PDB file of all heavy atoms in Angstrom:
ATOM      1  N   ALA A 172       2.292  16.072  -9.455  1.00 97.00           N
ATOM      2  CA  ALA A 172       1.923  17.474  -9.264  1.00 97.00           C
ATOM      3  C   ALA A 172       1.337  18.056 -10.521  1.00 97.00           C
ATOM      4  O   ALA A 172       1.645  17.647 -11.638  1.00 97.00           O
ATOM      5  CB  ALA A 172       3.155  18.318  -8.858  1.00 97.00           C
ATOM      6  N   GLU A 173       0.406  18.973 -10.329  1.00 96.00           N
ATOM      7  CA  GLU A 173      -0.209  19.761 -11.407  1.00 96.00           C
ATOM      8  C   GLU A 173       0.071  21.220 -11.073  1.00 96.00           C
ATOM      9  O   GLU A 173      -0.367  21.729 -10.054  1.00 96.00           O
ATOM     10  CB  GLU A 173      -1.695  19.458 -11.458  1.00 96.00           C
ATOM     11  CG  GLU A 173      -2.471  20.273 -12.462  1.00 96.00           C
ATOM     12  CD  GLU A 173      -2.369  19.745 -13.911  1.00 96.00           C
ATOM     13  OE1 GLU A 173      -1.500  18.908 -14.181  1.00 96.00           O
ATOM     14  OE2 GLU A 173      -3.171  20.212 -14.754  1.00 96.00           O
ATOM     15  N   CYS A 174       0.850  21.882 -11.957  1.00 97.00           N
ATOM     16  CA  CYS A 174       1.173  23.291 -11.768  1.00 97.00           C
ATOM     17  C   CYS A 174       0.411  24.089 -12.784  1.00 97.00           C
ATOM     18  O   CYS A 174       0.763  24.030 -14.014  1.00 97.00           O
ATOM     19  CB  CYS A 174       2.638  23.549 -11.940  1.00 97.00           C
ATOM     20  SG  CYS A 174       3.676  22.356 -11.007  1.00 97.00           S
ATOM     21  N   ILE A 175      -0.633  24.767 -12.407  1.00 95.00           N
ATOM     22  CA  ILE A 175      -1.489  25.464 -13.380  1.00 95.00           C
ATOM     23  C   ILE A 175      -1.205  26.959 -13.511  1.00 95.00           C
ATOM     24  O   ILE A 175      -1.240  27.654 -12.504  1.00 95.00           O
ATOM     25  CB  ILE A 175      -2.964  25.255 -13.046  1.00 95.00           C
ATOM     26  CG1 ILE A 175      -3.324  23.740 -13.029  1.00 95.00           C
ATOM     27  CG2 ILE A 175      -3.889  26.001 -14.004  1.00 95.00           C
ATOM     28  CD1 ILE A 175      -4.745  23.451 -12.664  1.00 95.00           C
ATOM     29  N   ASP A 176      -0.835  27.369 -14.714  1.00 95.00           N
ATOM     30  CA  ASP A 176      -0.619  28.779 -15.013  1.00 95.00           C
ATOM     31  C   ASP A 176      -1.988  29.388 -15.176  1.00 95.00           C
ATOM     32  O   ASP A 176      -2.704  29.059 -16.118  1.00 95.00           O
ATOM     33  CB  ASP A 176       0.213  28.852 -16.299  1.00 95.00           C
ATOM     34  CG  ASP A 176       0.465  30.254 -16.731  1.00 95.00           C
ATOM     35  OD1 ASP A 176      -0.124  31.206 -16.145  1.00 95.00           O
ATOM     36  OD2 ASP A 176       1.306  30.428 -17.639  1.00 95.00           O
ATOM     37  N   LYS A 177      -2.353  30.240 -14.226  1.00 92.00           N
ATOM     38  CA  LYS A 177      -3.723  30.756 -14.233  1.00 92.00           C
ATOM     39  C   LYS A 177      -4.008  31.765 -15.347  1.00 92.00           C
ATOM     40  O   LYS A 177      -5.127  32.023 -15.721  1.00 92.00           O
ATOM     41  CB  LYS A 177      -4.027  31.390 -12.845  1.00 92.00           C
ATOM     42  CG  LYS A 177      -3.985  30.364 -11.736  1.00 92.00           C
ATOM     43  CD  LYS A 177      -4.631  30.839 -10.493  1.00 92.00           C
ATOM     44  CE  LYS A 177      -3.839  31.886  -9.794  1.00 92.00           C
ATOM     45  NZ  LYS A 177      -4.411  32.310  -8.545  1.00 92.00           N
ATOM     46  N   ILE A 178      -2.931  32.292 -15.917  1.00 89.00           N
ATOM     47  CA  ILE A 178      -3.085  33.221 -17.038  1.00 89.00           C
ATOM     48  C   ILE A 178      -3.487  32.408 -18.284  1.00 89.00           C
ATOM     49  O   ILE A 178      -4.308  32.816 -19.104  1.00 89.00           O
ATOM     50  CB  ILE A 178      -1.786  34.028 -17.290  1.00 89.00           C
ATOM     51  CG1 ILE A 178      -1.493  34.849 -16.038  1.00 89.00           C
ATOM     52  CG2 ILE A 178      -1.881  34.906 -18.534  1.00 89.00           C
ATOM     53  CD1 ILE A 178      -0.065  35.223 -15.896  1.00 89.00           C
ATOM     54  N   TYR A 179      -2.967  31.188 -18.360  1.00 89.00           N
ATOM     55  CA  TYR A 179      -3.225  30.304 -19.510  1.00 89.00           C
ATOM     56  C   TYR A 179      -4.552  29.580 -19.346  1.00 89.00           C
ATOM     57  O   TYR A 179      -5.190  29.237 -20.326  1.00 89.00           O
ATOM     58  CB  TYR A 179      -2.050  29.331 -19.612  1.00 89.00           C
ATOM     59  CG  TYR A 179      -2.194  28.302 -20.708  1.00 89.00           C
ATOM     60  CD1 TYR A 179      -2.013  28.640 -22.035  1.00 89.00           C
ATOM     61  CD2 TYR A 179      -2.493  26.980 -20.385  1.00 89.00           C
ATOM     62  CE1 TYR A 179      -2.107  27.678 -23.018  1.00 89.00           C
ATOM     63  CE2 TYR A 179      -2.592  26.026 -21.369  1.00 89.00           C
ATOM     64  CZ  TYR A 179      -2.385  26.409 -22.694  1.00 89.00           C
ATOM     65  OH  TYR A 179      -2.516  25.454 -23.658  1.00 89.00           O
ATOM     66  N   PHE A 180      -4.963  29.341 -18.123  1.00 88.00           N
ATOM     67  CA  PHE A 180      -6.172  28.578 -17.857  1.00 88.00           C
ATOM     68  C   PHE A 180      -7.390  29.421 -18.283  1.00 88.00           C
ATOM     69  O   PHE A 180      -7.615  30.498 -17.727  1.00 88.00           O
ATOM     70  CB  PHE A 180      -6.277  28.259 -16.358  1.00 88.00           C
ATOM     71  CG  PHE A 180      -7.428  27.365 -15.993  1.00 88.00           C
ATOM     72  CD1 PHE A 180      -7.267  25.957 -15.963  1.00 88.00           C
ATOM     73  CD2 PHE A 180      -8.663  27.868 -15.660  1.00 88.00           C
ATOM     74  CE1 PHE A 180      -8.325  25.133 -15.630  1.00 88.00           C
ATOM     75  CE2 PHE A 180      -9.730  27.056 -15.343  1.00 88.00           C
ATOM     76  CZ  PHE A 180      -9.541  25.681 -15.308  1.00 88.00           C
ATOM     77  N   ASN A 181      -8.143  28.905 -19.265  1.00 80.00           N
ATOM     78  CA  ASN A 181      -9.279  29.676 -19.761  1.00 80.00           C
ATOM     79  C   ASN A 181     -10.598  28.894 -19.482  1.00 80.00           C
ATOM     80  O   ASN A 181     -10.840  27.936 -20.180  1.00 80.00           O
ATOM     81  CB  ASN A 181      -9.073  29.935 -21.270  1.00 80.00           C
ATOM     82  CG  ASN A 181     -10.142  30.823 -21.825  1.00 80.00           C
ATOM     83  OD1 ASN A 181     -11.190  31.028 -21.197  1.00 80.00           O
ATOM     84  ND2 ASN A 181      -9.891  31.387 -23.001  1.00 80.00           N
ATOM     85  N   PRO A 182     -11.365  29.304 -18.495  1.00 74.00           N
ATOM     86  CA  PRO A 182     -12.559  28.550 -18.142  1.00 74.00           C
ATOM     87  C   PRO A 182     -13.535  28.427 -19.307  1.00 74.00           C
ATOM     88  O   PRO A 182     -14.218  27.373 -19.450  1.00 74.00           O
ATOM     89  CB  PRO A 182     -13.196  29.373 -17.009  1.00 74.00           C
ATOM     90  CG  PRO A 182     -12.197  30.365 -16.601  1.00 74.00           C
ATOM     91  CD  PRO A 182     -11.219  30.531 -17.694  1.00 74.00           C
ATOM     92  N   SER A 183     -13.574  29.416 -20.223  1.00 74.00           N
ATOM     93  CA  SER A 183     -14.526  29.327 -21.318  1.00 74.00           C
ATOM     94  C   SER A 183     -14.133  28.245 -22.347  1.00 74.00           C
ATOM     95  O   SER A 183     -14.971  27.756 -23.087  1.00 74.00           O
ATOM     96  CB  SER A 183     -14.695  30.674 -21.972  1.00 74.00           C
ATOM     97  OG  SER A 183     -13.486  31.058 -22.542  1.00 74.00           O
ATOM     98  N   LYS A 184     -12.830  27.898 -22.383  1.00 73.00           N
ATOM     99  CA  LYS A 184     -12.398  26.861 -23.323  1.00 73.00           C
ATOM    100  C   LYS A 184     -12.418  25.491 -22.684  1.00 73.00           C
ATOM    101  O   LYS A 184     -12.073  24.502 -23.319  1.00 73.00           O
ATOM    102  CB  LYS A 184     -10.968  27.192 -23.805  1.00 73.00           C
ATOM    103  CG  LYS A 184     -10.942  28.266 -24.903  1.00 73.00           C
ATOM    104  CD  LYS A 184      -9.553  28.331 -25.485  1.00 73.00           C
ATOM    105  CE  LYS A 184      -9.486  29.416 -26.540  1.00 73.00           C
ATOM    106  NZ  LYS A 184      -8.133  29.804 -26.865  1.00 73.00           N
ATOM    107  N   ASN A 185     -12.757  25.466 -21.449  1.00 72.00           N
ATOM    108  CA  ASN A 185     -12.747  24.201 -20.656  1.00 72.00           C
ATOM    109  C   ASN A 185     -14.067  23.491 -20.898  1.00 72.00           C
ATOM    110  O   ASN A 185     -15.058  23.820 -20.246  1.00 72.00           O
ATOM    111  CB  ASN A 185     -12.489  24.558 -19.211  1.00 72.00           C
ATOM    112  CG  ASN A 185     -12.256  23.322 -18.357  1.00 72.00           C
ATOM    113  OD1 ASN A 185     -12.880  22.327 -18.546  1.00 72.00           O
ATOM    114  ND2 ASN A 185     -11.346  23.455 -17.429  1.00 72.00           N
ATOM    115  N   LYS A 186     -14.065  22.494 -21.804  1.00 72.00           N
ATOM    116  CA  LYS A 186     -15.313  21.838 -22.214  1.00 72.00           C
ATOM    117  C   LYS A 186     -15.968  21.108 -21.043  1.00 72.00           C
ATOM    118  O   LYS A 186     -17.198  20.964 -21.018  1.00 72.00           O
ATOM    119  CB  LYS A 186     -15.051  20.863 -23.343  1.00 72.00           C
ATOM    120  CG  LYS A 186     -14.686  21.541 -24.664  1.00 72.00           C
ATOM    121  CD  LYS A 186     -14.681  20.508 -25.804  1.00 72.00           C
ATOM    122  CE  LYS A 186     -14.122  21.159 -27.053  1.00 72.00           C
ATOM    123  NZ  LYS A 186     -12.737  20.875 -27.333  1.00 72.00           N
ATOM    124  N   ARG A 187     -15.193  20.669 -20.090  1.00 78.00           N
ATOM    125  CA  ARG A 187     -15.774  19.874 -19.012  1.00 78.00           C
ATOM    126  C   ARG A 187     -16.141  20.758 -17.843  1.00 78.00           C
ATOM    127  O   ARG A 187     -16.473  20.251 -16.769  1.00 78.00           O
ATOM    128  CB  ARG A 187     -14.831  18.727 -18.629  1.00 78.00           C
ATOM    129  CG  ARG A 187     -14.725  17.741 -19.786  1.00 78.00           C
ATOM    130  CD  ARG A 187     -13.567  16.805 -19.620  1.00 78.00           C
ATOM    131  NE  ARG A 187     -13.586  16.222 -18.333  1.00 78.00           N
ATOM    132  CZ  ARG A 187     -12.508  16.051 -17.580  1.00 78.00           C
ATOM    133  NH1 ARG A 187     -11.336  16.425 -17.987  1.00 78.00           N
ATOM    134  NH2 ARG A 187     -12.605  15.461 -16.393  1.00 78.00           N
ATOM    135  N   ASN A 188     -16.022  22.057 -18.046  1.00 80.00           N
ATOM    136  CA  ASN A 188     -16.526  23.002 -17.030  1.00 80.00           C
ATOM    137  C   ASN A 188     -15.840  22.805 -15.644  1.00 80.00           C
ATOM    138  O   ASN A 188     -16.470  22.964 -14.602  1.00 80.00           O
ATOM    139  CB  ASN A 188     -18.010  22.809 -16.901  1.00 80.00           C
ATOM    140  CG  ASN A 188     -18.661  24.125 -16.503  1.00 80.00           C
ATOM    141  OD1 ASN A 188     -18.008  25.190 -16.578  1.00 80.00           O
ATOM    142  ND2 ASN A 188     -19.935  24.099 -16.071  1.00 80.00           N
ATOM    143  N   GLN A 189     -14.549  22.471 -15.699  1.00 88.00           N
ATOM    144  CA  GLN A 189     -13.859  22.294 -14.412  1.00 88.00           C
ATOM    145  C   GLN A 189     -13.257  23.589 -13.985  1.00 88.00           C
ATOM    146  O   GLN A 189     -12.817  24.406 -14.792  1.00 88.00           O
ATOM    147  CB  GLN A 189     -12.671  21.327 -14.641  1.00 88.00           C
ATOM    148  CG  GLN A 189     -13.057  19.859 -14.610  1.00 88.00           C
ATOM    149  CD  GLN A 189     -11.797  19.009 -14.798  1.00 88.00           C
ATOM    150  OE1 GLN A 189     -10.988  19.296 -15.646  1.00 88.00           O
ATOM    151  NE2 GLN A 189     -11.649  18.003 -13.959  1.00 88.00           N
ATOM    152  N   ASN A 190     -13.129  23.774 -12.686  1.00 90.00           N
ATOM    153  CA  ASN A 190     -12.367  24.921 -12.241  1.00 90.00           C
ATOM    154  C   ASN A 190     -10.931  24.454 -11.971  1.00 90.00           C
ATOM    155  O   ASN A 190     -10.607  23.260 -12.114  1.00 90.00           O
ATOM    156  CB  ASN A 190     -12.982  25.590 -11.022  1.00 90.00           C
ATOM    157  CG  ASN A 190     -13.033  24.664  -9.824  1.00 90.00           C
ATOM    158  OD1 ASN A 190     -12.185  23.793  -9.662  1.00 90.00           O
ATOM    159  ND2 ASN A 190     -14.044  24.830  -8.969  1.00 90.00           N
TER     160      ASN A 190
END
Side-chain angles (χ1 to χ4, degrees):
E173 175 81 347
C174 312
I175 300 178
D176 179 349
K177 295 196 289 183
I178 298 157
Y179 177 74
F180 186 91
N181 185 344
S183 63
K184 282 191 182 164
N185 188 321
K186 291 190 187 99
R187 293 165 51 222
N188 210 13
Q189 279 183 313
N190 63 31

